[in-house]
Amino acid sequence: MDFDGGGSTSGVDTAGVVAQSVPVLSRRQKALYQFTQQNLPACKPILTPAWVITTFMLLGVIFIPLGLIALRASQSVVEIVDRYDTECVPETHKHNKVSYIQDDSIVKNCTRILKVRKDMKAPIYIYYQLDNYYQNHRRYVKSRSDRQLLDGLNYKDTSSCKPEENSNGQPIVPCGLVAWSLFNDTYTFYHQSKELEINRKNIAWKSDREHKFGKDVYPFNFQNGTLIGGGTLNPTVPLSDQEDLIVWMRTAALPSFRKLYGRIEQDLDADDLIIVRLVNNYNTYSFGGKKKLVLSTSSWLGGKNDFLGFAYIAVGSCCIFICIVFLLLHVKTPRPYGDTTYLSWNRKSNAS
């Protein structure tokens, strides 16, 4: 009797303890508990040979046409690329291009003639391309102050702009090496003896114009030092409206890059001649850089870039190749589904 009574009493106590130790979980807590305890239901597909072969076949069938479409769109873009940095140096200065570009007393006007190969529909984008120019260099990228670009002289801490944080004892706006090295070659285009109008508005990102460059911030003490790095800025125009600076300040990730200069809002026909009168100011000779002028149309996919199309075709072709290999292997040595002879422990026992 004592045993039964004691057993029943302990059972009640145990039940009470159990009831108290298991709290009622909410739906969210229950889901979290299942996730942490790895008790969530999961899909565990069985990759049979038929599924694998079909998947690779579908990927190839989808990727190859996409690559051909992207490649066709890229090929429809018409580009004119003209390297002018070597051709726009007089013969008398070919042996010393650095002294030529640094001599302000020499007129650096140059004329180039471009021939349109195919019809170019407006808008025609004008880019300047720089090669072997490392805008991604760590010290170069860090030499700027984004807060100053937004707040101007109200922001005092410009230590990040070294060595171009001040000049003649006064701060520089905009400060830093990035702004100091602003591209300053200029281009003027003529077609059939008439000057082509270049639209230089809306060439920068809208987010940069409205949120990264102050509407009440004006250039101050800019390019007034002993060494001039690049272009100058209009001190009466706020930074948010000087879009050539905004385009330049968005630094490139690769040593060869293009930046938008403007747009030609006029169609050009095949075999037309475009006369370009440019001023070769920017110094790329000190570091072996190259300068190119690029005129380009665009497609629904953007500018001319064959990489995306070739990448899709390459991936699709690899998938088709793997599909064929797996198919041949499956036909040559088929494996019945659920065949236990291929299990590792069965193969060891058979070998012994």
Side-chain angles (χ1 to χ4, degrees):
M1 293 294 294
D2 293 339
F3 177 77
D4 294 336
S8 62
T9 303
S10 62
V12 172
D13 294 338
T14 304
V17 172
V18 172
Q20 292 178 357
S21 63
V22 180
V24 179
L25 299 178
S26 64
R27 184 177 180 181
R28 183 176 181 180
Q29 291 173 331
K30 185 177 180 181
L32 181 61
Y33 176 80
Q34 289 179 331
F35 175 76
T36 56
Q37 297 301 318
Q38 297 293 306
N39 291 332
L40 288 176
C43 179
K44 299 179 181 178
I46 300 175
L47 298 178
T48 62
W51 272 105
V52 174
I53 293 172
T54 303
T55 301
F56 277 108
M57 176 62 72
L58 287 176
L59 289 176
V61 170
I62 294 173
F63 274 49
I64 290 178
L66 286 177
L68 294 174
I69 293 172
L71 196 59
R72 181 177 179 82
S74 177
Q75 294 294 334
S76 66
V77 175
V78 182
E79 273 192 359
I80 302 175
V81 182
D82 178 58
R83 180 183 176 183
Y84 64 88
D85 58 311
T86 55
E87 300 298 330
C88 288
V89 178
E91 290 293 336
T92 55
H93 295 84
K94 291 283 188 181
H95 63 284
N96 196 345
K97 299 175 183 178
V98 176
S99 62
Y100 158 77
I101 202 69
Q102 292 178 347
D103 191 347
D104 295 334
S105 63
I106 301 177
V107 179
K108 298 179 176 61
N109 296 333
C110 182
T111 301
R112 305 289 294 166
I113 299 177
L114 308 179
K115 185 176 181 180
V116 180
R117 298 181 293 104
K118 299 179 181 179
D119 294 343
M120 302 182 73
K121 302 296 182 182
I124 301 172
Y125 297 93
I126 305 170
Y127 300 92
Y128 56 88
Q129 177 175 329
L130 298 178
D131 296 332
N132 198 35
Y133 194 117
Y134 289 84
Q135 267 198 323
N136 59 351
H137 192 282
R138 182 180 61 85
R139 292 188 62 186
Y140 181 87
V141 173
K142 290 178 62 177
S143 183
R144 61 185 293 165
S145 174
D146 293 327
R147 285 288 302 277
Q148 191 208 54
L149 294 174
L150 189 61
D151 299 331
L153 292 173
N154 294 327
Y155 185 71
K156 304 299 183 181
D157 185 11
T158 58
S159 58
S160 62
C161 291
K162 292 179 180 179
E164 291 294 327
E165 73 274 19
N166 56 64
S167 176
N168 301 322
Q170 292 182 317
I172 300 173
V173 180
C175 66
L177 287 174
V178 182
W180 174 80
S181 60
L182 175 65
F183 187 80
N184 61 342
D185 283 4
T186 59
Y187 311 103
T188 307
F189 297 85
Y190 295 88
H191 177 238
Q192 297 178 353
S193 302
K194 295 181 180 179
E195 183 178 348
L196 289 174
E197 183 179 353
I198 301 176
N199 183 3
R200 303 203 64 191
K201 295 293 183 181
N202 299 323
I203 61 174
W205 290 15
K206 183 179 179 181
S207 60
D208 288 354
R209 297 195 307 266
E210 296 183 353
H211 303 293
K212 294 187 177 181
F213 291 79
K215 300 183 184 299
D216 299 323
V217 179
Y218 295 84
F220 177 78
N221 197 29
F222 186 69
Q223 299 289 25
N224 289 335
T226 56
L227 183 62
I228 306 300
T232 58
L233 298 174
N234 189 339
T236 63
V237 178
L239 295 184
S240 60
D241 293 337
Q242 305 211 34
E243 296 194 42
D244 51 346
L245 171 68
I246 299 175
V247 171
W248 180 258
M249 294 294 289
R250 181 165 285 278
T251 53
L254 300 175
S256 296
F257 57 88
R258 294 178 181 179
K259 291 186 181 291
L260 186 60
Y261 182 84
R263 294 184 299 272
I264 298 176
E265 308 288 351
Q266 176 181 330
D267 295 342
L268 298 177
D269 298 328
D271 298 328
D272 282 352
L273 295 179
I274 306 299
I275 299 176
V276 185
R277 294 177 182 171
L278 59 89
V279 182
N280 183 25
N281 288 321
Y282 201 70
N283 182 11
T284 57
Y285 306 103
S286 299
F287 53 88
K290 302 176 184 178
K291 294 189 291 186
K292 298 177 183 178
L293 175 63
V294 180
L295 273 64
S296 175
T297 60
S298 63
S299 67
W300 61 270
L301 198 58
K304 189 176 183 64
N305 189 354
D306 296 338
F307 174 78
L308 183 62
F310 284 125
Y312 270 110
I313 294 175
V315 172
S317 301
C318 291
C319 290
I320 295 294
F321 176 76
I322 295 173
C323 169
I324 295 174
V325 171
F326 282 0
L327 181 61
L328 294 176
L329 291 175
H330 182 60
V331 171
K332 182 179 179 181
T333 56
R335 174 183 172 182
Y337 180 69
D339 189 355
T340 59
T341 58
Y342 287 88
L343 295 175
S344 58
W345 52 85
N346 290 337
R347 289 162 63 183
K348 288 181 181 179
S349 61
N350 293 334
S352 60

